Amino acid sequence: MKKLLYTILTVFLFSAVYAGNPDRQGEAGAGQLLLNPWARSAGLHTMTTACVTGVEAMQLNIAGLSRINKTQILFGNTQYLKGSGIGFNSIGLSQKIGENSAFGISLMAIDFGDIPITTTNQPEGIGATYSPSFFNLGMGYSYTFQNKISVGILVRGISETLADISAFGFALDAGVQYVSGKKDEFKLGISLRNIGSPMKFGGEGLSFTQNAPEGNYNLTFNVRPANYELPSMLNLGVSYDFALGQNFILTGVGNFTSNSFAQDQVGAGVDLAIGKYFHVRGGYKYEFGQLTNDGLNSSLDKGFAGGFSVDVPLKKNSTNRLGIDYGYRHTSRWSGTHNIGVIINL
């Protein structure tokens, strides 16, 4: 197990050395891969690399997928940058396979609302609208060795489509979680996300007709689009559970994110479990790098976040539970990002 853990750590750190490059900041595409559709981890600013479990692990650290009882179903709705008209819906399922492994599948679709169609001659719009279709589908597998080390891998398909132009690609995630202590109170997590081949748009929308330079006839010209990379990142996280009497458990989390196409980030947060049915959480994420006076070089994914969860048994004396989650992330522009989720644990 130690040799396996050391090998995974070496691979991840080696990848991180060649991934980060300040000169490439802002050049990545497929930014929806960085959006978190799940309310519980969003309430801690997506910093639960070490302790995330179940379906939510597919968005942060796939190694935690297998740390469930049997079956988990999760639904999520997100109002991204409240007031912008952008939102996305998500659904995910994780299922235990045998005693130590689990398989999961998740789908996230983004709703951009109705966008007016404009042309050069009619910049105010032609009276019609369009709506892009962006979604990604992930399938992952995780295995736990003797309840101490979990490893996982995930493959994600990415689709970005308009009426006459589209792009499609694949991304790979990998992760590991390590648990220690008499009551498994200490956790360490590492994940490498969004590693894949470049994507490129194609379709009829990249061609246009124009008069020939010489002669009275038309020619069709094709635009050659450039490739764009995926927003790969490396997450390093730790967490520790503090027992505060019989009915309170305080979990502290810390996380560092190394971004290939953005500033690196570091943050911390706490989750307070009150009894078996209620959680309240909050965290803060800081972004490295110099900012301009207007803050235009700053990412929206930073600052304060918070949320809560309520879990109730589906029937008396049952371990099957239904949970309602809410997460909020502050943004300097618009009115923040709001996550609402429904989780079923069987």
Side-chain angles (χ1 to χ4, degrees):
M1 291 304 99
K2 289 183 179 180
K3 291 182 179 179
L4 176 63
L5 180 59
Y6 293 155
T7 301
I8 294 173
L9 287 172
T10 302
V11 171
F12 283 0
L13 294 176
F14 180 80
S15 301
V17 169
Y18 288 92
N21 185 348
D23 296 334
R24 300 189 299 171
Q25 291 177 8
E27 297 181 4
Q32 69 271 20
L33 296 177
L34 303 178
L35 304 179
N36 186 359
W38 311 121
R40 293 201 178 199
S41 54
L44 279 169
H45 236 318
T46 318
M47 297 186 297
T48 53
T49 304
C51 55
V52 67
T53 62
V55 172
E56 295 202 25
M58 301 181 69
Q59 197 66 26
L60 182 55
N61 186 352
I62 183 60
L65 178 68
S66 57
R67 294 187 179 276
I68 58 174
N69 291 329
K70 184 178 180 182
T71 304
Q72 187 180 88
I73 305 171
L74 192 54
F75 304 92
N77 174 266
T78 301
Q79 299 299 311
Y80 183 67
L81 304 178
K82 183 68 174 179
S84 67
I86 302 175
F88 44 95
N89 297 303
S90 306
I91 184 172
L93 167 70
S94 59
Q95 176 65 50
K96 234 5 184 346
I97 303 174
E99 183 178 353
N100 298 318
S101 60
F103 172 80
I105 183 170
S106 66
L107 174 67
M108 183 180 78
I110 303 178
D111 179 13
F112 293 93
D114 295 326
I115 304 173
I117 298 177
T118 61
T119 65
T120 303
N121 296 327
Q122 295 176 284
E124 299 300 323
I126 64 174
T129 61
Y130 74 99
S131 182
S133 176
F134 280 33
F135 72 89
N136 60 73
L137 175 68
M139 292 183 290
Y141 175 81
S142 173
Y143 189 89
T144 301
F145 298 89
Q146 299 178 355
N147 196 43
K148 292 298 182 183
I149 299 177
S150 299
V151 296
I153 189 169
L154 176 141
V155 177
R156 195 184 310 275
I158 310 151
S159 175
E160 301 178 344
T161 305
L162 297 177
D164 53 4
I165 187 174
S166 63
F168 187 82
F170 289 96
L172 181 69
D173 292 4
V176 59
Q177 283 182 341
Y178 174 73
V179 176
S180 182
K182 294 181 179 180
K183 297 183 179 180
D184 296 338
E185 62 269 19
F186 174 78
K187 301 177 180 68
L188 169 69
I190 305 174
S191 69
L192 187 62
R193 298 196 58 230
N194 305 329
I195 305 300
S197 60
M199 294 177 61
K200 182 171 67 173
F201 280 98
E204 296 181 358
L206 295 175
S207 62
F208 62 95
T209 302
Q210 186 171 307
N211 292 331
E214 298 179 358
N216 295 322
Y217 58 92
N218 293 331
L219 292 176
T220 299
F221 297 85
N222 292 317
V223 177
R224 294 183 178 180
N227 295 337
Y228 58 91
E229 301 287 340
L230 301 182
S232 57
M233 62 169 60
L234 174 74
N235 289 295
L236 305 172
V238 295
S239 73
Y240 195 91
D241 299 333
F242 299 91
L244 307 177
Q246 296 182 349
N247 297 319
F248 299 92
I249 296 178
L250 181 69
T251 300
V253 302
N255 196 83
F256 171 77
T257 300
S258 176
N259 292 296
S260 296
F261 296 91
Q263 299 284 3
D264 293 341
Q265 298 170 325
V266 64
V270 293
D271 180 299
L272 178 62
I274 304 173
K276 298 180 180 180
Y277 308 120
F278 188 73
H279 287 251
V280 61
R281 56 185 64 94
Y284 182 84
K285 181 183 287 187
Y286 172 79
E287 185 174 87
F288 296 99
Q290 297 294 325
L291 303 180
T292 59
N293 292 331
D294 56 12
L296 293 180
N297 289 343
S298 174
S299 170
L300 290 173
D301 187 24
K302 64 169 195 172
F304 291 99
F308 63 87
S309 300
V310 179
D311 295 306
V312 294
L314 292 178
K315 57 183 179 180
K316 188 176 182 179
N317 298 326
S318 173
T319 58
N320 299 335
R321 294 185 179 182
L322 172 68
I324 306 295
D325 307 318
Y326 173 77
Y328 170 79
R329 283 164 288 172
H330 173 75
T331 56
S332 56
R333 293 172 174 83
W334 306 101
S335 300
T337 296
H338 303 258
N339 292 74
I340 298 175
V342 177
I343 182 171
I344 301 173
N345 287 297
L346 303 175

